[in-house]
Amino acid sequence: AMLLNGTLVSRAGTALVAMTAHEFGAPVLVCCETYKFTERVYLDSICYNELGDPDELVPGPTQLASSRMADWRDIPQLRLLNLLYDVTPMKYLTMVVTEAGGIPPTSV
């Protein structure tokens, strides 16, 4: 979704890719239909997010035996948080491509 302040809410990892591209001077294009534009404003990805299964963050069963994370559920102070979405600030986005054409993120 594209938020009122030009921020993008997308799958976890999107912000990292956009920041890396920005650092190397590569343009970041976002494909988003206009019905996904919203008047909400998020400052971080913690406020409204979906949580995934924490077991998706640990290695698979074949690799689990040799992993330090094999017994993560037995450590009472450890909780895994698997956020499904992240927030990409407008300054890392070059253009938003919609069914109406390309627009700068400042015009969302």
Side-chain angles (χ1 to χ4, degrees), residues 11-82:
R11 298 258 181 204
T14 304
L16 181 63
V17 171
M19 290 178 198
T20 304
H22 179 77
E23 186 68 25
F24 285 96
V28 178
L29 304 177
V30 176
C31 296
C32 183
E33 295 174 293
T34 55
Y35 81 90
K36 292 184 178 181
F37 290 5
T38 180
E39 293 182 4
R40 288 185 177 180
V41 175
Y42 295 165
L43 300 178
D44 59 40
S45 60
I46 302 295
C47 296
Y48 301 97
N49 208 322
E50 294 181 29
L51 298 177
D53 182 7
D55 287 318
E56 292 176 357
L57 299 174
V58 297
T62 57
Q63 302 165 341
L64 198 55
S66 63
S67 171
R68 291 183 178 180
M69 297 296 291
D71 59 347
W72 75 270
R73 291 189 184 274
D74 298 332
I75 304 171
Q77 298 86 5
L78 180 63
R79 302 275 189 264
L80 297 182
L81 182 63
N82 185 6

